[in-house]
Amino acid sequence: MAPERHARHDPDRGHGTVSALGALAGVQRRLQTSRPEQLDQDITQALAVMGKALDADRGYLFQIRDTVVIQNSHEWAAPGIAPVQPDLKETPFSAGEVYWTAFRRYGILRLRTLSSLAAGSEFHTILTQQKVKSVIAAPIWQHPKEIAGFVGFDFCRATRNFTAEEDALLLCFAASLGSALDLATLTRQRNKLDAALGDATGRLSAMVNALPEFLVEVGQDGLITGFHQGPPLTFALTPAEVIGHPLEQVLPPHIAGISREAMAQVDRNGWSESFSYPLEIGRSEKRYSLQAMRRSAGNDSRPQGYLFVVRDISESYRQDTHLRQLGQVVELSSNLIMLTDSDRRITWMNPTCTRSSGILLEDAVGLRPGDVLRLGQDNSDASTMISAALDRGDPIDLEVRALNQHGLPYWVDLNIQPLRDPEGEIHSFMVVGSDITLHKLAEARALRDRASAMDASQEGIAISRADGSLSYMNAAFRKALGLDEDTQTETLSWHDILPEMLDTFRLAIIPELYAHGQWRGEITLPHSVRQDRHFELSISVQDEGSFLTIARDITAHKDTEKDLALLREQVQVVQSHHLISQVASGLSHDLFNVLAVISATAESLRRNADADVVRGLTHLDAATAQAMALVRNMNRLGQRNVSKRMHNLRELAGQAAGLVRPSLGGDVTLCLELPKDRIDVLCDRTEIMQVLINLLINARNAVMGAGRPRASIGLSLCRADDAHMAATLDIGRLQPDRPYACIIISDTGNGIDAAAREHMFQPYFTTRGENGGGLGLSIVSDILLANKAALSVDTTPGAGSRMTVFWPHAAPDAAPRPPVTTLQGLRVLLVNTNDHALADIAATLTAAGLDVTSCIAPQDAVAAVSAGPVDWDVVLIDHDMTPISGYALAETLLSLSKTLPVVLVDSQKMLQFAKNAAHVNGMKVLSGTVTHAALLAALADVTARKSTSS
């Protein structure tokens, strides 16, 4: 319902109206004389006076600021009446729509009762909360059509009928308040302008007073008529030497020419442009500006000459040059550069931004940098980070994905810096973006290449999260852990794959990772069927918090270490046996001589002795014979059974080097020169390792005793040629028609002198005093002679030594080699628990054209024959195996297939019932030393027997 349009005249309230008019007059006088700093207090007092005059309960003044209506401290309330509620002192402009409509229609708002308002409306709710029963308000106009605010009075105790006189009274009061507010505003603005003008005037005066200038007056005829100079611009000439002379006589030619050009411009335009020119003073070049204007005398407008103003602009010129250079750098820069105001809206951007975005500079002004870069929703997180940092006034640097004018994505390294004024307030922002798309593409390619490399790597590689869940695992790791290729490792964790390693991860690995960022160590994974697997693990924490795990299968290395340890132990045992044998041999030799003397003496006494003495001598002969038998048994102490078989000398040389290398230290280098091809010799593995290790240890002792820097030991292996066969031998002899393998061990020690060389192979001879045992070369000599090998020593005192061992190749087999064509494609199941022998025999058979399948575990062979008995042409088994013997395995296989040919190799002659190349219970047994040719012949024989029987 619209407010009341007319007010009735109430004669009974005439007296109140007169007193109200008096109060209004006093208020107007007070407001007209109020100073700006007292205006707020005077308005509050005026509200109180008018409120009491109108018998109102509450008075207030509201002012409009943009889209809200604000009531500051301009308020009055009668005793017992609450002031305006705090939450209503700043309300939206739309909430006062009833006021604005009444003001524009009727010029005033009169609301006698709230019943005229719609119940539940926003305005009705506000008045109800304030306990208002009637209200009257008048507008304060800023312009004829613009409302700047309003003054109102509430009646809370009872409803009120308003008179026309009260309407006029309130309108006059509102007009007085508007005038007072306008006057205060104008006064404040004038004071501000006066202060600014005074400040500018002071700065201008100071600038003019401090401005260094040189003023030159020149007549119409071009002669100098006067000048004024101030430091640092000072002529070196005196006024008498300058005044009356033409410019060309006083100034340098180029400056005189500039002055004449300025005079011509003054004649045409009344003033000249500012000319800039260089001038060398002393040893430095300075820059000056020259400007000319017309000079007149008094009121006479006719030209009287010219006035030149010269200024030193060296510093400003350097600054301008620097700014121009910076401007060119920014203009030509390939980076995206934008400047914004404090509200982060673009005020300028360089041409690179235009080329990238397709937006012209004039169109970009007022936009935000994100609009030009077209960051969009894909970078909502980045936009949030940028806004938060800039709200704090912090610079920010991050990578974002933008779109160019064609909608194609590109990557930008965005750096935003706030720019501050001398007071530290931010007045603008500088945005610099570097296009890093190529870098990102290269990074993506590198990641793809890295992923491809990880997929193709022979080492196991896995990436896991902090909770142990897997995000990547390559094929090598899957194979090592026994996982199928189609297993989704992304759905698994380490706890699922390796539950037995849970305690190790929790107690040992995780604390080390968080303390140092990486962990290295070895783990062993048990296997239910095959042997345990050993891995060397390297786990490191990545920048994003994930764990990179690299696993290297060191099972073969561990097996090699185990074999080397066993070999080292065997060599030590054999060395002990040799020592015992040599000691026993020496003792038996001496004792045998003593017993021989006793026996000869007894025999001589027997010739002339009586019967009693003869009986005693007979007992003595028996005791002597028994003692001689015991002495002969002593010769067998320390002796060991020698088992000769075919060995790859290249492999044994590498193993011997591995045993000696840890004892060399960091100052000695061991250089190996081994052929790519196999060199097979017939030998006892332990004996030939003794030879290699003893010679290498002698070489080590020689170079360490020499004390020379960069000492080295060489170990090479080759087949002996004519030059080698012509060497002078120190041990053994060579058969001209027999091939030999050469083992050459050299050192850079002090060499062997003639005296030491004469005794070097004798037992217990040593040049190292108490540190030497004197048995190494003696043992080497015994082994070489026992194997029909030889040794050549080439040494020069002070220049090192060179030991060449000649070891014979295996003698040709008497049995003819079967034709290769009969073995081509023969399917052989090879079983041997010695992995070295297994690999050696498999290589020999494969080279002969056989199709070989190797089994290191006997149970694997049983499974293979059970699955397909007809898949195998022959089974080749080594008898010396654990946990079951080869003979027991052969019987098991024959029980599965009675027609299956089986060849059993018994190199240790453990089958007492078997004879060399004999057939036992359906299997062919090869006893003793078996050459490759004999092995191939046996395979051909059993195959032929099977074909004949078929």
Side-chain angles (χ1 to χ4, degrees), residues 631-662:
V631 169
R632 280 192 293 271
N633 288 335
M634 285 181 62
N635 284 327
R636 292 192 291 270
L637 286 176
Q639 294 181 357
R640 56 180 291 272
N641 293 327
V642 176
S643 175
K644 292 185 179 181
R645 62 172 57 186
M646 298 299 296
H647 288 283
N648 181 5
L649 196 54
R650 180 184 184 278
E651 179 181 342
L652 297 179
Q655 292 176 357
L659 288 173
V660 175
R661 194 186 301 273

Side-chain angles (χ1 to χ4, degrees), residues 670-689:
L670 177 56
C671 303
L672 297 182
E673 187 177 346
L674 304 179
K676 295 182 180 179
D677 300 331
R678 299 169 56 90
I679 297 182
D680 292 323
V681 295
L682 183 64
C683 65
D684 180 87
R685 175 187 175 92
T686 303
E687 285 187 339
I688 201 164
M689 288 297 290

